[in-house]
Amino acid sequence: MPTRADAGDSGVLVLAATPIGRVSDAPPRLSEELATADVIAAEDTRRLKRLTTDLGVTIAGRVVSYFEGNESGRTPQLLEWLLAGERVLLVTDAGMPSVSDPGYRLVAACVEAGVHVTAVPGPSAVLTALAVSGLPVDRFCFEGFLPRKSGERSRRLASLAAEERTMVFFEAPHRTLVALEAMRDAFGPGRPAAVCRELTKTHEEVRRGGLGELVEWAGEGIRGEITIVVQGEEVGAASVASDPDSLRAAVAELEAEGVTRKDAIVEVAKAAGLPKREVYDVVHKSESK
């Protein structure tokens, strides 16, 4: 690995946030950096061309692709240019590089080699969704995309069941329903959440409610870019006693609040630390008497 001492004064890596929706949201400094960078590393060069056209910017530097498929191989070349004193601008399709997008490997390599790294702050789907969700923002964590395989997805969410911070997830529209279903099963149908769709775009929509309610809404079909925000476990949340009378009363209380019986049983079972079937049997056996 070359070092700063090997190459004399190094250049600068600039991580530039790009609009997540409206081009007019682009920070003014973005246009300046695009016009003056020696090298622009873009996740999608075609999107870069559309962006610069919309911004009225003429690129003078070299443009190279930098995406998940070539990130490992391209990083050494970009680092070599940086060590030679060039200014490299890294842009992804939308939002801030390194946040569920290419960038981490290059930043880590620059830090190790002593190359200066800075950023053009700007649009972020994570912070935008968190801010508009209406959920607690004093402490939060970003969990990115959930695993695609159901077993891995369930295990990941089970590990977050006791997480007290508000959680932010990215999800593809065609997997949003199964993701919400898995969250409902892991966190309970009454856990407050928000599904943020097409943030800052013309058809922006923020749907808020319990996870059980959001599952029903998502069953109608979802399109667009999706960010999901889920409230963390409440500190000192009350558990439910496991005797039959307490279980029946807890289910009835949730039903009175508008929660479906199925979701109420799931939530009570989770709070009591019991299998769903056991709570189901307690509730329905009492009705059959």
Side-chain angles (χ1 to χ4, degrees):
M1 172 72 70
T3 66
R4 187 170 188 167
D6 296 326
D9 293 335
S10 67
V12 178
L13 172 63
V14 183
L15 308 175
T18 54
I20 60 176
R22 301 173 186 270
V23 174
S24 56
D25 289 337
R29 190 177 145 211
L30 176 61
S31 294
E32 178 185 344
E33 293 286 354
L34 287 167
T36 59
D38 298 305
V39 180
I40 300 176
E43 184 178 10
D44 187 328
T45 56
R46 293 166 301 181
R47 289 200 180 193
L48 172 65
K49 185 176 181 179
R50 288 199 295 271
L51 176 63
T52 54
T53 298
D54 290 340
L55 292 174
V57 172
T58 299
I59 294 176
R62 304 188 299 282
V63 175
V64 297
S65 63
Y66 190 71
F67 58 97
E68 185 179 359
N70 74 352
E71 189 175 0
S72 295
R74 182 78 76 185
T75 294
Q77 182 182 37
L78 292 173
L79 183 59
E80 182 178 339
W81 289 334
L82 284 159
L83 289 169
E86 299 199 83
R87 191 175 186 87
V88 175
L89 182 70
L90 177 59
V91 295
T92 55
D93 291 348
M96 179 62 72
S98 293
V99 182
S100 277
D101 278 325
Y104 166 75
R105 287 185 178 88
L106 181 57
V107 173
C110 286
V111 171
E112 182 179 349
V115 174
H116 181 60
V117 180
T118 187
V120 177
S124 165
V126 176
L127 295 179
T128 302
L130 182 69
V132 303
S133 69
L135 299 174
V137 298
D138 54 333
R139 296 176 65 225
F140 69 93
C141 59
F142 174 56
E143 290 294 327
F145 286 92
L146 289 170
R148 296 188 180 189
K149 295 183 178 180
S150 60
E152 295 177 7
R153 182 168 55 243
S154 296
R155 286 191 291 273
R156 172 75 63 79
L157 290 171
S159 72
L160 294 170
E163 174 59 64
E164 297 175 358
R165 295 171 295 180
T166 298
M167 296 166 281
V168 184
F169 302 85
F170 285 163
E171 196 49 89
H174 62 281
R175 291 198 301 269
T176 298
L177 175 59
V178 295
L180 288 171
E181 288 174 335
M183 290 176 183
R184 175 199 61 195
D185 295 342
F187 305 145
R191 179 76 70 90
V195 178
C196 305
R197 187 180 71 85
E198 295 289 86
L199 285 169
T200 78
K201 299 178 183 178
T202 303
H203 301 292
E204 175 182 281
E205 179 180 14
V206 180
R207 191 80 176 197
R208 305 174 181 88
L211 285 168
E213 178 185 346
L214 292 174
V215 165
E216 294 185 10
W217 165 75
E220 301 174 4
I222 295 180
R223 301 175 66 179
E225 300 290 332
I226 303 296
T227 305
I228 302 172
V229 186
V230 182
Q231 183 171 308
E233 178 77 358
E234 291 187 55
V235 179
S239 60
V240 175
S242 58
D243 62 279
D245 288 341
S246 295
L247 295 174
R248 284 192 289 268
V251 170
E253 183 178 348
L254 288 173
E255 287 185 289
E257 295 174 359
V259 178
T260 66
R261 172 162 293 187
K262 178 181 177 182
D263 286 346
I265 288 173
V266 170
E267 186 164 345
V268 170
K270 179 178 179 294
L274 296 171
K276 290 181 289 185
R277 185 69 196 182
E278 187 170 335
V279 178
Y280 176 90
D281 289 342
V282 167
V283 172
H284 285 274
K285 282 180 181 178
S286 66
E287 292 182 342
S288 63
K289 292 181 179 179

